[in-house]
Amino acid sequence: METVHTTPMMKQYFSIKADYPDAFLFYRLGDFYELFFEDAKRVAHELELTLTAKNGKNAEHPIPMCGVPHHAAQGYIEQLIERGYKVALCDQVEDPKLTKGLVKREVIQVITPGTLMSSLTEKENRYLVAVASREGRYGIARGDVSTGESALTSVHSIDEVCKELSVILPREIIVTNETDEQALSSLRIPITRSERKESHPTGSEAIDAAQEEAFSLLYAYMHDTQKRALTHLQPAVVYEASDFMQLEPNTVRNLELLRSARTGDKKGSLLGLLDQTGTAMGGRMMKRWIEKPLLSKNRIEERLDAIEELLTHYFERQQLKETLRNVYDLERLVAKVGYGTASARDLVQLKTTLVQIPTIQSALEDLLSERLGMLAAELDPHEELIDLLDRAFVDAPPISSKEGGMIRPGYDAGLDELLLASKDGKSWLASLEASEREATGIRTLKIGYNRVFGYYIEVSRANAKLLPEGRYERKQTLANAERYVTPELKEKEALILGAEEKSVSLEYELFCEVRDTVKEHIQSLQRVSRRIAELDVLVALADVAEQHDYVRPETVDSREVMIEAGRHPVIETVLPRGEYVANSLELNEDREMLLITGPNMSGKSTYMRQFALIALLHQIGSFVPAKRARLPIFDQIFTRIGAADDLVSGQSTFMVEMVETEEALKRATDRSLILLDEIGRGTSTYDGMALAQAIVEHIASEVGAKTLFSTHYHELTVLEESIEHLSNVHVRAVEQDGRVVFLHEVRDGKADKSYGIHVAKLADLPTALIDRASVLLEELEKKERHVQHGPPEKKAGYEDIDQLSLFAEADPLRESVATLDLINMTPLEALNTLYRLQAEARK
Ligand code: ADP
Ligand code: MG
């Protein structure tokens, strides 16, 4: 064992691996990357590779090993990274041909979930985030290696860090200590503990100690993993979490801002609807705008003005869209330049992008909005750069920078000369072929080339004897042919190959020079890229407004809301045109809360979300789906959805629901918007009702936030009488031929019936069950009428209802079946419920 484990190679391996204990070490060996020991076992398992032993399986102490071909390594590495692992890429850093003994190896890059450059989804950022605390605050620094974007903020507590991160959704988090690591572990994002090595300037002013610390930590980590200068890192943008509307993760999810709740895709979400951007950086900016709605009236109006201008200038807008289609991902191209990985093809794409700028500017010439004017003025076309790139590169250079073919003739005289020499050489070869054929009389004689033997004259085996003696030196014998060289050919070959080799390396040098020149303009190019992105987003918002007939909302300073004929922006596009039923909404100082009743499936949730989405669109600076809208600026939007108990995970979602609600109540202000959708349905009826009532009362007396509360507990509609600013509204449904027809119309006042049973009928429950439920309902309704006619101070009159439940105890199991809210259940919930019912039945 000693001998194998202490070979020079294994020693080298151990000493490198010691520096990267938390990464899989991909150790370059010939054409493979190999992994050893524990790394090998785990990677073989993850990637389903064959596990072998370095010293043979039957060795006394086999060294587990597995490997991947180096040219295919990328795909394997990405799989590991996507699963949250890190990979240290260890390469040969000397030419093996020039070294005796063991080749020197070094880790050239550490690839981690937060710094993976390839396999990027175009329109998404891949953020790495560092968190550090100092002087009672927590700094949060985030960066995207692929775009060079970075941003900084600080908050008061680790809880707030958690919230901010659940909006940013980084791929990897760096912390300095175990406490923070534990506090953030619930996010289920890979966390790395790291130390700051030295401080690094942020390039931004007015930052606090915590932000500075976080940024240094971020920078150090990027630097240590990427192992190169990060010249493309843009100066960090400093923001206050309170500069923007606070959207908690729940709201992002429930309102389906970025992803459809059902499919998890962008399609079916607000982002999916709005993102008609033409460029990748525009797409990323659109996402950021949705995640961070504005609080400043001026900035909202600025965007609205721009959209209005774009809407009225149809042709200019079309021209902009057309032009933007030719724009490449400038932000990432520039990042590649800074990173030193840009190819000539990338630089040509950069040129193509810059060339569009004058067209963009001319399209914007007649548009008067302040913001558009500013964007147009600040778009620097970089004419000198365009000129340089145009002179330097051919129109379609190859991806590789090391094989020539990139530089345009006329750019460099020396290169032209070399190219001419090799070209001349090649035409000389062509004429040689002709003259050799003539001299030998062999018409099939040809001149060929391969890497090992260079240029040769090839004749078929049968014809070989026709060659005169002496002049031809045999080089290679094939099955049917012989290959020869002549002194003349050898001489020319040296010239041609020499010129080619020189031209390739000269091209590379010239290419690097140009790239370095571009590098000097990184910052101004990044500015251009941000301007184009913003323009792209504004054009997209104007397009959406036009396609779906949105109006410009009016921002009011009061706390009044007036929406006339509002629609749910996403659902209306799923339904056939014109089928969505528009609904109005009015809130003011006297009418702060709405209690929404109505049968299941009538549109309560939709109505609430529609309002929240309109409010949000307004604060993104977008037009809104309505006939008219006057809206205040909301500081936060909270959404709470009542859930059924989740038996599978064994966790009481009701408990979670209550904890979350409590938290919302603590943070909400009278400038917030709260949506409570069937809160309390996760527990038994009276519990749930009592809690729901207590929550509404609390918001009314302590918070004063605008609140929409939907419920299928009719009993709660009596709250209107005891809570001053609460009004009942209901979603209308009518009964036709024993079936319920949903009208989706929201009206003042409470709903008269729950219609739950009719919905069950729609869902095709057995007739006997429906009948039994109808009988029970009748009984319940008799009692309820009694309750409602009682004095209002008695509130919901729980005592009376309690007696009802005694009555129902004749068969509790049957009652639970009858009252199941089937239509709102997922198949999984239904299965869980059936499981529970069976367990009860077997008791
Ligand atoms: P509830 O919350 O009352 O159970 P939802 O809001 O979930 O009902 O709406 C159920 C379905 O009814 C929606 O998926 C949608 O298809 C349809 N719907 C809701 N509101 C409208 C509307 N205003 N116009 C047309 N269809 C609607
Ligand atoms: Mg609902």
Side-chain angles (χ1 to χ4, degrees), residues 623-636:
F623 280 31
V624 300
K627 245 198 197 133
R628 231 149 51 95
R630 290 160 54 85
L631 293 155
I633 292 176
F634 290 104
D635 63 353
Q636 304 170 81

Side-chain angles (χ1 to χ4, degrees), residues 664-684:
L665 297 185
K666 248 189 348 213
R667 288 197 291 133
T669 72
D670 64 351
R671 288 263 160 194
S672 307
L673 171 59
I674 304 180
L675 305 185
L676 299 171
D677 195 349
E678 315 250 6
I679 279 294
R681 86 172 152 195
T683 180
S684 77

